[in-house]
């Protein structure tokens, strides 16, 4: 029994943290965030040196065969440094999808390249959570038609994984004919999303598993978004505490005022249990798959609410300075905003959690 | 309790509606928040002044309409233009803060020279109050003006000067008596933004826009007669103005408009087969916010009635700013949640709703809540003035050396 | 245009406040709260001297023909002094029901007696809000059968007004044969509630108006409960501020600590707008009946949430002393708890408000 | 990450389950919170000690089971008895606080005389720490003990002495060195509650019950050897004990049990045709609380793992008390809301649910949150120890006269 990170995971965490402290300083984040394509090749290169792209690729395909908990550990660090690098879709979801539901040919074609950092795959499964704007992709007579919103790790993807209306996953090369890809911009300029519209596009479908693989992706995605929120929240709390310790008013640091101290304590009290919950949700994804969906819902919805509170409160502790662009605090604020909404906001995710437990009566 | 305004006022309301119907084609499109008024906007402003729908109680000799104050009529004007979604005239800091100050404390020459031109939008002002180290305590300000050859020579820095880029003029608090006690060493100066030595740097905020600026003064020379009120009395001059600030009254119409927009959004926004408003959890939050907005509207009417009777606004008034900002922020938060993933679109993205207004509001309202420690200050005001709770113990015990050091530290932080 | 209390209403408010300061001091409240029947004859007598029971009785029946706003003004004061006296059902709801839907005979029989303080009527309409425990009363062949829960102003009632399953109101004498009345006890020992069970009881029905009158009672009841919550919240805020000004810690009053000050300011900021909303809801009940139901829902649900917050926070400001019985603070805490739940908790009432506006799709 | 306890522990768990199945008929009914243990409870306690399911690591010579410490086994015991809804032995302040203190700092004679008798429930203790004026700062306490003829003579008052009515003995902090600095003048005494001069008055709380007492000492004479640790070291003795307090670890099992009860309630409670859990708004709150409870359970496992490795609990541990109390309070609040009007029934009313436990919990948990300023203190601890934020400026600046006056004022308030 050991509820916590293994020594290897701690080493991984520290290595990624050090790497990002070097390669993802705030100036670089600012620069990337100002571009149409924010994803930083420098950072991706450095992560590649740490073998991050190979993490979830099975060993027989040239990867490291690591777990979602390993990925969550990395996600937390990426958010801590508001890193503008592809990760959620291309490093986590795509390898899981291919491993769990890809054909042998797909695996051999893509997994080694992903592991070597030579191929990046964007993932568009948001319609399996909530269809907005009539989005949805139909798989008819071997071809895809319709629209998929919120494709993650959009820029620079060599191919996209898309869930059709039945939940089946399809691999579509970025240059496929009949496919139109449009950039979407969000508050969070450190991530890249886009929409894909399909006009009878040829597809290379993954296993017809009744939506199992796309549901797994949803779970994994939620856990990683929760881990991201955790890392961003951690950074914001630390920044608030530091600022409060330095900034003086009435001749003493504002951090010595009870009201400010209690704001920080409330952030910590709500934030800290999220860490154990995220670890748990990541762990059971591999170790206890039957508990994975519920745990993912809990992790996603709790961090969604807790870190909205943290984002606001940490900004408040900074006063006017937190509202300006000067300290860049808003990059973390927006990263948390992104994590909250993508793949289902807290209310939507809680409704799913209720349904999973049979608490929702058929209408 | 009487919600009717009475026949005289009903007639007045009808008259405004007729005016709006007849002239709405002349109204300027809603302006970007901090731009100079367009020619269209200036024409519209003049038309409104002419009919007494703005600058209503300002004497005609200074370019106003010259009516006797009538709170109800002012209220009806605000209601009708809000309902029609038309600008009820220019709203800028020159009109809301400088003009009342000049009317109360300006010399006759100052009034003649500045009020009319400000009202018509020909002269645009910015406000120079806040400083990096004096956000929550104006008395702490450090921008200095020494006298040299019959001129003030100004050095220092202001922050949150919203229209500094567009402004012709600034009204500004500076420390003229360095040795005087904190509140009494300040003077209220007005001067041109074209004087050499003024540098305006846009201050970008979390919204991604530069709604504010930082303004730096290096040996800026201003004739000594460009002062409003007495030397060393600037703190009191500014405080008279702060009382005029519209924000203190809150704007229940604005809150109601945001709520209506939210209702519309939730009726349109689809989630699968349904609409956002069909989701019981989101709908519950919507109704809760509707109750809050209704309460703030009623609270506004109560304050209005008190003013009509010449009674003080009391607690009803003290809580308006804090509570309105919070409710407005919550309205934006619900809108974002109701949009789901679409809620984070911004920066003119395809599929973005309402031009990204919800996210902009969500962040900007947070800025209003925290800006210069506003929520904290508001809470102190409510506690100390409204509830008569004891003030923080005086800081007189801290030695002056410590204070000096702290001040510098503050400065460095502020400028960081 | 005058949004506020008239001079008469202010005089009424002050007179009731003075009267209760004399007749309802905490010791008397304690004594009453310890009894099975908490309702105080002394206090009711003193209120009678102020003609409170006659307030809502029309002038032609010997009453004062006052409005619900007048009643709300009184309700606020009653709660401010945690008064154990009959009011909501017997002084407010019964006269409204009889005036709006009573037969002429019923009016002549009951209204003058109510006005003179000689008759008290309990009111049981909670099944029109939410049927719990299978409660409900059927009106079949001229007789009532079933159970009505949460009859208000239960003790000492001479008769009960009960809504049947169709919403029609019935007047039943307390001694009617086949009627069994059972006391219920709640956290709030300053009010009296009970349940009524009917076994084919003869009834004297009010107008068959399709539930209009019982819906009006629900609106009026909610407004008065909101006003009660307002008065109790006002008292709790004042007590917290007083206590914080007197109690010292670390050599200064705790009220000078920023954290305590901000707790009090937050209570005031949320509490104060409720006052205007309650006035509005009470006013439109008479002046703009088409707006009454929605306004009553808003007033009830907002005060329910705001004053739960106030009750907790004011107790927190008192520290351990607030948790003990010593200062009696809990009487107000529990009064607020009662106001929140009776005639629909915030969620239930908001669901009604949504339906009133056509926001709820037929399932 | 490894959630398995391993085969050795699985066997241990199986053994406990077998024990429970075989003996559950002997378990006493759940006791009223603050009563003396019944004969049945004492028999159960002895049975548990015999099998090593309680008093597990206390040396056999003092009446314990004498096993080596094994955090996992302790955890498994707690889990299994909680799952079976059986008392896992007596839980009182004598066992949780006094026994560990004596083990660490008692004389051999004290250990022999008191530990076994306490463990079996034959001697019942109460705790005398808090005082009306020293709720949030034990160092402030005023109950004094002067020495006269080889005895301490105690005068003063304690509050929140929960089992004082039932107790045979008290462990008590008193000020023995009046002139010493605040923390070093305190001693830790143990003495009989039968000594003349002790008066216990029930302290009724908002729940309507007297879960606590006030205990008054008037010239209570205690032999000087009834002291634990050195004279003047009582503050440190007590702090050693506070570390043992179970509450610091929180009790995720208890939280889980409350949550399960809430789920059951919401599945049973009917609203018209449906059940409370069918209401989407209430259900949303339920799932949100389930996530909080799951997080606290995971956090508990994390703390447990840290202990196993001999690592400090850190922030994960510091936040437990504050957060658990709050979540428990919210669980009760939702239960009340889910019951609608039925939620306010109490005092053994007909139709009351679960014996009024939800309302009792709602109020008692609020008491735990605020009791002696607990939430405030917890937040200070989190901020200062966990986040290393600066402490409040020292109060040394306040003159000693002011302090004296303040102390008296505090006293008067406390006793009001």
């Amino acid at each position: 029994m050991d509820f916590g990170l293994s020594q290897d995971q701690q080493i991984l965490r520290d290595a990624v943290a050090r790497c990002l402290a070097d390669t993802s300083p705030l100036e670089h984040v600012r620069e990337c965030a100002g571009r149409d394509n924010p994803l930083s090749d420098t950072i991706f290169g450095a992560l590649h040196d740490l073998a991050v792209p190979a993490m979830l690729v099975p060993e027989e395909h040239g990867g490291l065969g690591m777990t979602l908990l390993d990925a969550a550990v990395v996600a937390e660090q990426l958010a801590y440094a508001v890193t503008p690098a592809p990760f959620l879709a291309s490093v986590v979801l795509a390898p899981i999808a291919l491993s769990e539901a890809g054909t042998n040919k797909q695996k051999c074609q893509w997994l080694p390249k992903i592991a070597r950092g030579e191929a990046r795959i964007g993932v568009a499964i948001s319609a399996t959570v909530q269809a907005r704007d009539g989005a949805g992709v139909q798989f008819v007579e071997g071809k895809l038609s319709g629209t998929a919103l919120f494709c993650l790790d959009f820029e620079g993807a060599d191919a996209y994984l898309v869930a059709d209306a039945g939940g089946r996953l399809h691999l579509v090369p970025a240059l496929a004919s009949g496919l139109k890809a449009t950039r979407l911009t969000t508050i969070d300029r450190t991530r890249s999303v886009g929409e894909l519209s399909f006009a009878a596009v040829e597809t290379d479908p993954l296993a017809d598993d009744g939506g199992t693989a796309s549901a797994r992706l949803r779970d994994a995605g939620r856990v990683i978004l929760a881990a991201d929120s955790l890392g961003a929240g951690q950074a914001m709390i630390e920044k608030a505490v530091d600022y409060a310790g330095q900034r003086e008013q009435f001749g003493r640091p504002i951090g010595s005022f009870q009201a400010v101290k209690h704001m920080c304590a409330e952030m910590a009290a709500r934030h800290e249990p999220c860490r154990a919950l995220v670890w748990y949700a990541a762990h059971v994804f591999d170790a206890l798959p039957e508990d994975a969906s519920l745990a993912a819902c809990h992790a996603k919805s709790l961090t969604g609410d807790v870190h909205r509170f943290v984002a606001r409160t940490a900004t408040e502790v900074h006063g006017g300075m937190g509202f300006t662009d000067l300290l860049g605090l808003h990059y973390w604020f927006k990263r948390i905003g992104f994590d909250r909404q993508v793949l289902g906001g807290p209310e939507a995710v809680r409704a799913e959690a209720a349904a999973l437990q049979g608490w929702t009566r058929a209408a | 309790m009487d919600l009717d305004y009475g026949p005289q006022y009903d007639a007045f309301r009808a008259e405004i509606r007729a005016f709006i119907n007849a002239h709405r084609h002349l109204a300027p499109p809603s302006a970007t928040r901090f731009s100079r008024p367009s020619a269209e906007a200036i024409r519209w402003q003049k038309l409104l002044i002419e009919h007494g729908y703005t600058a209503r109680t300002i004497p005609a000799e200074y370019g106003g309409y010259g009516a006797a104050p009538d709170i109800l009529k002012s209220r009806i004007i605000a209601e009708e233009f809000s309902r029609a979604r038309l600008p009820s005239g220019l709203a800028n800091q020159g009109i809301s803060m400088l003009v009342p100050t000049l009317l109360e404390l300006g010399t006759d020459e100052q009034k003649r020279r500045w009020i009319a031109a400000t009202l018509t939008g020909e002269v645009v002002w910015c406000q120079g109050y806040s400083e990096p180290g004096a956000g929550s305590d104006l008395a702490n300000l450090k921008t200095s003006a020494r006298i040299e050859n019959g001129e003030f020579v100004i050095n220092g820095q202001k922050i949150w000067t919203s229209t500094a880029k567009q402004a012709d003029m600034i009204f500004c608090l500076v420390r003229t008596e360095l040795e005087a006690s904190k509140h009494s060493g300040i003077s209220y100066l007005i001067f041109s933004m074209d004087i050499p030595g003024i540098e305006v740097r846009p201050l970008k905020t979390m919204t991604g826009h530069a709604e504010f600026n930082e303004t730096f003064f290096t040996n800026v020379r201003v004739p000594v007669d460009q002062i409003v009120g007495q030397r060393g009395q600037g703190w009191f001059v500014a405080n008279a103005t702060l009382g005029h600030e519209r924000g203190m009254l809150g704007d229940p119409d604005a809150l109601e408009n945001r709520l209506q927009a939210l209702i519309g959004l939730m009726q349109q926004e689809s989630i699968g087969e349904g609409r956002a408003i069909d989701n019981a959890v989101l709908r519950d939050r919507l109704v809760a916010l509707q109750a809050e907005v209704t309460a703030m509207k009623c609270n506004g009417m109560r304050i209005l009635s008190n003013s009509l009777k010449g009674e003080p606004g009391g607690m009803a008034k003290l809580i308006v700013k804090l509570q309105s900002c919070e409710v407005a922020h919550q309205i934006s938060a619900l809108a974002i949640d109701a949009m789901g993933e679409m809620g984070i679109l911004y920066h003119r993205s395809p599929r973005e709703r309402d031009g990204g207004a919800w996210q902009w509001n969500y962040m900007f309202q947070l800025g209003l809540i925290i800006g210069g420690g506003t929520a904290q200050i508001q809470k102190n005001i409510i506690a100390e003035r409204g509830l008569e709770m004891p003030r923080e113990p005086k800081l007189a015990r801290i030695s002056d050396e410590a204070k000096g050091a702290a001040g510098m530290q503050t400065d460095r932080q502020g400028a960081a």
Side-chain angles (χ1 to χ4, degrees), chain A, chain B:
Chain A
M1 148 74 187
D2 181 11
F3 192 99
L5 302 183
S6 67
Q7 207 144 17
D8 283 353
Q9 283 160 340
Q10 293 176 33
I11 291 168
L12 172 68
R13 177 192 64 198
D14 297 343
V16 173
R18 270 193 311 272
C19 163
L20 295 175
D22 290 343
T23 59
S24 184
L26 190 55
E27 313 86 76
H28 184 57
V29 172
R30 275 189 198 287
E31 188 202 319
C32 293
R35 303 193 304 229
D36 282 343
N37 174 2
L39 303 182
S40 161
D41 289 331
T42 349
I43 300 175
F44 190 72
L47 291 171
H48 178 242
D49 291 344
L50 293 176
V52 166
M55 285 180 70
L56 296 193
V57 173
E59 291 178 67
E60 65 264 37
H61 293 290
L64 298 172
M66 294 169 85
T67 66
L68 193 67
L69 179 55
D70 298 300
V73 165
V74 174
E76 188 185 338
Q77 295 310 313
L78 291 170
Y80 186 88
V82 283
T83 312
F87 183 73
L88 173 51
S90 47
V91 175
V92 180
L93 301 185
I96 291 175
L98 289 166
S99 309
E100 299 201 354
T103 62
N104 203 39
K105 195 180 144 215
Q106 285 168 334
K107 289 181 191 175
C108 295
Q109 184 185 351
W110 289 100
L111 287 171
K113 281 203 226 164
I114 290 174
R116 290 195 303 270
E118 290 164 12
R120 297 211 306 239
I121 297 181
V123 174
I125 55 168
S126 91
T128 71
V129 178
Q130 277 191 348
R132 295 274 177 169
D133 288 11
V137 173
Q138 271 65 45
F139 179 46
V140 181
E141 294 174 7
K143 297 193 174 179
L144 289 181
S145 295
T147 312
L149 305 178
F150 271 83
C151 175
L152 303 166
D153 288 351
F154 173 78
E155 298 283 351
D158 302 287
Y160 307 108
L161 265 169
V162 185
D164 69 25
R168 186 173 184 181
L169 293 166
H170 300 263
L171 199 51
V172 184
L175 300 174
S177 120
L179 166 61
K180 194 176 147 226
T182 311
R183 176 185 306 124
L184 299 172
T185 50
T186 74
I187 45 168
D188 179 8
R189 300 302 297 261
T190 67
R191 322 273 192 115
S192 162
V193 293
E195 77 176 78
L196 308 172
S197 69
F198 300 88
V201 174
E202 296 280 354
T203 162
D204 184 8
L206 279 66
D208 187 5
D209 60 2
T212 310
S214 62
R216 289 280 288 166
L217 290 200
R218 202 166 57 210
D219 292 344
R222 285 175 176 165
V223 171
I224 296 301
L225 287 165
D228 197 275
S229 196
L230 187 72
Q234 179 71 32
M236 288 196 89
I237 294 172
E238 288 177 18
K239 280 170 200 299
V241 168
D242 282 355
Y243 187 80
Q246 287 168 36
R247 166 83 173 174
E248 301 215 347
Q249 246 176 26
F250 305 111
R252 53 190 253 211
I254 61 169
S256 69
F257 288 101
Q258 222 192 354
V260 174
K261 226 186 274 190
H262 287 189
M263 287 165 88
C264 292
E266 282 160 24
M267 287 194 277
R270 299 192 61 190
H271 166 75
E272 196 62 30
C274 292
R275 183 177 311 279
L277 180 61
V278 168
W279 286 352
Y280 176 77
H283 175 69
V284 297
F285 180 83
D286 294 301
L288 281 171
E290 66 274 25
D291 289 355
S293 292
L294 183 59
C297 286
H298 283 331
K300 177 69 163 68
S301 59
L302 186 63
T303 55
D305 282 341
V306 166
H307 293 115
R308 175 180 270 196
F309 165 77
V310 166
R312 173 186 166 153
T313 307
T315 306
E316 276 190 70
V317 169
H318 281 80
M321 206 44 61
F323 177 57
T324 69
D325 178 57
L326 296 170
L327 304 177
L329 190 71
H330 61 92
Y331 289 111
W332 286 268
F333 182 98
K334 292 165 179 171
R335 190 126 176 163
I336 285 170
F338 183 98
D339 294 335
R340 177 183 165 96
Q341 306 297 111
V342 171
L343 295 183
E347 290 89 357
V349 170
R350 283 194 291 265
E352 272 187 56
L356 283 169
Q357 297 174 87
W359 292 349
T360 316
R361 266 196 187 164
Chain B
M1 187 73 113
D2 179 6
L3 302 181
D4 285 337
Y5 285 38
Q8 178 205 351
Y9 290 102
D10 292 346
F12 184 71
R13 189 186 296 276
E15 185 191 294
I16 300 174
R17 288 193 182 171
F19 169 86
I20 287 175
N21 281 334
H23 298 88
R24 72 175 322 142
H25 62 285
L26 297 175
S30 67
T32 24
R33 206 168 174 90
F34 300 108
S35 61
R36 257 194 102 86
S38 63
E40 243 175 320
I42 289 177
R43 274 198 302 276
W44 180 247
Q45 174 78 356
K46 287 180 176 166
L47 185 67
L48 294 188
I49 295 175
E50 203 178 293
H51 285 79
Y53 298 150
T54 196
R56 182 172 172 80
T57 59
I58 292 167
E61 61 182 314
Y62 302 131
Y65 179 72
D70 185 324
I71 299 169
L72 274 189
K73 286 194 174 166
S74 303
R75 177 73 202 137
I76 290 168
I77 294 167
E79 281 174 7
E80 291 303 318
F81 280 84
S82 170
R83 189 167 298 149
R85 309 264 164 122
L86 290 184
S88 61
L90 296 176
N92 60 43
Q93 291 178 322
I95 291 175
S96 65
M97 302 184 75
L98 176 77
V99 167
T101 305
L102 287 183
L103 282 169
E104 208 164 315
L105 299 163
T107 63
D108 196 58
E109 201 214 317
Q110 285 170 336
K111 291 180 192 171
R112 289 192 190 287
R113 177 149 176 213
W114 299 116
I115 295 179
T118 302
L119 291 178
T120 55
E122 285 151 51
V123 173
V124 172
W125 295 80
C126 64
Q127 180 210 63
Y129 285 5
S130 301
E131 297 185 7
S136 30
D137 187 5
L138 287 186
N140 232 3
L141 55 81
K142 300 216 161 20
T143 296
S144 67
R146 64 171 194 278
I147 293 203
E148 223 178 79
N149 306 330
E151 288 178 321
F152 287 116
V153 182
I154 304 172
N155 281 284
Q157 179 191 356
K158 295 287 174 183
I159 196 171
W160 310 117
T161 41
S162 46
T163 46
K165 279 273 176 203
Q166 301 81 38
D168 307 295
M169 297 284 295
I170 186 169
F171 53 100
C172 191
L173 291 178
V174 295
R175 189 165 291 282
T176 45
E177 269 67 29
L178 292 176
E179 66 299 332
S181 87
K182 290 203 147 195
H183 287 84
S184 52
I186 295 169
S187 296
Y188 187 111
L189 306 186
I190 52 179
F191 52 90
S192 165
M193 289 295 283
D194 292 334
I195 305 177
I198 301 182
E199 190 198 348
V200 177
R201 290 186 211 152
L203 181 63
K204 206 167 122 184
T205 71
M206 70 191 301
T207 68
H209 302 282
E211 294 94 343
F212 300 97
N213 301 283
E214 292 179 287
T215 302
F216 298 83
F217 305 110
T218 313
N219 294 323
V220 172
R221 307 186 79 91
V222 172
V224 285
D225 62 344
Q226 287 183 212
I227 188 169
V228 180
Q230 300 299 306
R231 235 183 92 170
Q233 298 292 303
W235 168 250
F236 307 98
V237 176
N239 261 324
T241 319
L242 281 173
H244 293 289
E245 215 187 330
R246 262 182 142 194
M248 288 301 287
L249 260 171
D251 189 349
D253 294 331
L255 224 43
E256 174 69 23
N257 282 346
R258 296 313 300 159
L259 178 75
Q260 291 304 330
L262 172 60
I263 294 169
L265 178 83
M266 286 181 62
Q267 286 171 329
Q268 273 165 30
E269 201 65 31
S270 71
I271 308 179
E273 301 294 299
R275 305 166 302 166
I277 205 169
D278 298 324
N279 178 299
V281 180
L282 298 174
R283 188 173 59 219
D284 182 70
R285 283 171 63 188
L286 176 64
V287 178
L289 286 171
Q290 188 185 36
E292 300 266 15
V293 170
T294 308
M296 290 310 289
K297 280 162 62 188
C298 294
N299 191 63
M301 288 194 273
R302 186 179 165 209
I303 298 170
L304 181 66
S305 286
N306 283 347
S307 311
L308 282 171
K309 290 182 249 174
E311 288 168 9
M315 186 60 93
K317 195 164 173 180
L318 290 176
I319 56 90
V320 165
K321 201 165 183 175
L322 181 67
Q323 194 59 10
S324 304
C325 276
E326 185 59 39
V327 173
H329 185 66
Q330 294 304 331
I331 288 174
S332 302
L334 175 54
I336 290 168
D337 287 346
M339 288 186 272
E341 285 174 328
M342 300 294 141
I344 54 170
L345 296 176
Y346 199 58
H347 300 295
R348 306 180 181 279
S349 174
R351 297 188 185 272
E352 182 183 76
R353 273 61 165 163
D354 299 317
W358 294 108
Q359 277 287 355
W360 187 85
N361 275 313
Y362 181 69
M363 292 186 272
F364 197 77
Q365 283 148 358
L366 181 60
L368 291 180
I369 291 172
I370 63 178
T374 305
Q376 311 274 37
I377 293 174
Q378 293 297 322
K379 286 180 194 171
N380 286 341
I381 291 174
I382 292 167
E384 290 170 10
R385 274 197 243 161
L387 299 171
E388 295 175 6
M389 294 182 78
R391 289 173 182 271
E392 289 271 338
K394 284 280 173 219
L395 298 149
R397 285 180 199 125
I398 299 173
S399 71
D400 274 277
E401 295 79 17
K403 264 194 276 182
M408 284 181 57
Q409 174 69 3
T410 308
D411 247 14
R412 246 176 287 135
Q413 282 301 316

